Amino acid sequence: MNPIVNSIVNPISRRAFFGRAATGVGTAALASLMSREGRAATGGLPGLPHFAPRAKRVIYLFQSGGPSQFELFDYKPRLQEFQGSDLPASVRMGQRLTNMSSAQLNFPIVPSKFSFQQHGHSGAWVSELMPYTARVADELTFIKSVYTEAINHDPAVTFLQTGSEIAGRPSMGSWVVYGLGSEAENLPAFVVMISPGGGGGGQPLYDRLWGAGFLPSRYQGVKFRSVGDPVLYLSNPAGFPAEQRRAYLDALGELNQGTLEEFGDPETATRIAQYEMAFKMQASVPELVDLGKESAGTIDAYGPDARKPGTYAYNCLMARRLAERGVRFIQLYHRDWDHHGGLPKGLPKLCKETDQPTAALIADLKQRGMLEDTLVVWGGEFGRTVYCQGRLTATDYGRDHHPRCFTVWMAGGGIKPGITLGATDDYGYNVTERPVHVHDLQATILHCTGVDHLRLTYKFQGRHFRLTDVAGKVVSEILRG
């Protein structure tokens, strides 16, 4: 029933009756409603966390486009023996292909042209393209057996971020904030930042990827921009001083409160909270982006782009500053990892942009004692094929999408450091040890924050939904005791 239509057709609505005619009962009901809304906005839902969390916050470093595991973390020395030969049908096993390589007459195997070495006490294999990440290898847990169901970018990204290939579900960050609330009084609980990648292109990223879906919209991510105000409409208009804005918001709040009392629409409560948050952010965001108190050594550790808004290095530094200020879920997207061709030239550029800032973030968090309760996740939406897409030459090759196995690493926040889980065959084509589905990864992230993925649900259209849909098992092997 639409409460607005109902109030027009029948002015003495049930809600209005309880709100006006029976003031005592109506006030008690409203107080209960606001109490629930207030808990969800600050301290989370009653009963959450379900158990003691190891991670107070999550920083997700999403590499959009599908980084090639062959050139980065999944070392396959035997591919040198197979170079140029056709991928055996017994390995491919009829796996579906994208339209970009389905018409190829053969599928020539191409090994990585970049060298690998083992690093740290863990002996993790890391490519020469990631020298800074190699230095922090003992802090990381590599999962080399992640697999997904989607073979194209948008459904794959949507699946990893929301638990469904179909758009419209709440994002992972929204689920976490819905369940656990916020520890930041003057900043959003869920912040998103995007960097374009060296090529300036890459697959599009839609706002629904950090949207709240069918959850109340107060739980959606807030995207920080790289040009102008970090958040739209944050500054007061010219000639509109802060004291006038405060008076304006107070008056608007009274109007919205009256609407909330009459109709009980949670989106009205969202508007009230968002206006207040915007007012608080007028002071907190300028302080957040002011790097004046950061030491030169810290900024230098993140790389030469750390002072340039919109770069991956800057966003990594901001992620640490947001985490310090109590932001619950911080999502970084870095685009342009989609190398169907020109991989030997294109991939090193992406690694140069991201390797140093990523490692600096890990080291910075550890130095400040924050890595222990901050979960950091690195990965894309799928992997790349062992065979070359298009023409293979002595100096150039590309790789198509590959959902059957790819590498994700995690660090901090309840994760055992310095281990590798899962394995793929000699062709890097199929998982041979400990497969980890996307829903398993999501369940594990929630577990680290103290949330049982089976119990964090929301009823919508007659069904109880959850991030992991009807699947997902926590990857217990990588969790600290």
Side-chain angles (χ1 to χ4, degrees), residues 1-15:
M1 178 173 63
N2 187 324
I4 297 177
V5 174
N6 185 61
S7 67
I8 295 172
V9 175
N10 180 15
I12 309 299
S13 66
R14 181 176 181 272
R15 188 176 300 277

Side-chain angles (χ1 to χ4, degrees), residues 149-274:
E149 297 169 15
I151 199 170
N152 289 313
H153 291 288
D154 184 64
V157 176
T158 303
F159 188 46
L160 207 148
Q161 296 298 317
T162 72
S164 172
E165 294 184 46
I166 302 172
R169 301 280 183 88
S171 61
M172 190 186 312
S174 294
W175 278 113
V176 170
V177 174
Y178 168 66
L180 298 176
S182 175
E183 292 186 338
E185 290 187 13
N186 301 319
L187 287 167
F190 178 15
V191 172
V192 176
M193 293 177 285
I194 300 173
S195 44
Q203 298 298 320
L205 295 170
Y206 303 103
D207 285 8
R208 57 176 167 77
L209 294 173
W210 48 91
F214 45 69
L215 296 176
S217 59
R218 70 195 317 168
Y219 303 112
Q220 69 187 10
V222 174
K223 182 170 67 174
F224 278 23
R225 306 187 311 149
S226 60
V227 179
D229 287 339
V231 180
L232 282 172
Y233 313 118
L234 197 61
S235 299
N236 290 328
F240 193 62
E243 58 270 17
Q244 289 186 16
R245 184 180 181 93
R246 180 67 269 171
Y248 166 80
L249 289 177
D250 289 341
L252 184 61
E254 291 180 10
L255 292 173
N256 281 329
Q257 186 65 35
T259 302
L260 178 64
E261 292 175 7
E262 182 170 2
F263 298 111
D265 184 356
E267 288 305 300
T268 305
T270 292
R271 282 198 298 274
I272 295 172
Q274 287 175 335

Side-chain angles (χ1 to χ4, degrees), residues 250-317:
D250 289 341
L252 184 61
E254 291 180 10
L255 292 173
N256 281 329
Q257 186 65 35
T259 302
L260 178 64
E261 292 175 7
E262 182 170 2
F263 298 111
D265 184 356
E267 288 305 300
T268 305
T270 292
R271 282 198 298 274
I272 295 172
Q274 287 175 335
Y275 279 126
E276 286 301 313
M277 177 57 71
F279 185 77
K280 294 176 181 178
M281 287 169 64
Q282 287 186 316
S284 63
V285 169
E287 186 274 334
L288 169 72
V289 300
D290 181 4
L291 302 182
K293 294 183 179 180
E294 293 285 350
S295 70
T298 296
I299 295 176
D300 289 345
Y302 282 86
D305 291 335
R307 293 186 182 272
K308 299 178 184 177
T311 64
Y312 182 80
Y314 178 88
N315 290 349
C316 281
L317 179 55

Side-chain angles (χ1 to χ4, degrees), residues 450-471:
V451 175
D452 181 348
H453 73 106
L454 300 175
R455 296 162 62 191
L456 179 60
T457 65
Y458 190 89
K459 191 173 183 179
F460 176 67
Q461 294 183 342
R463 175 191 162 188
H464 288 277
F465 285 86
R466 66 179 202 238
L467 173 62
T468 53
D469 198 40
V470 296

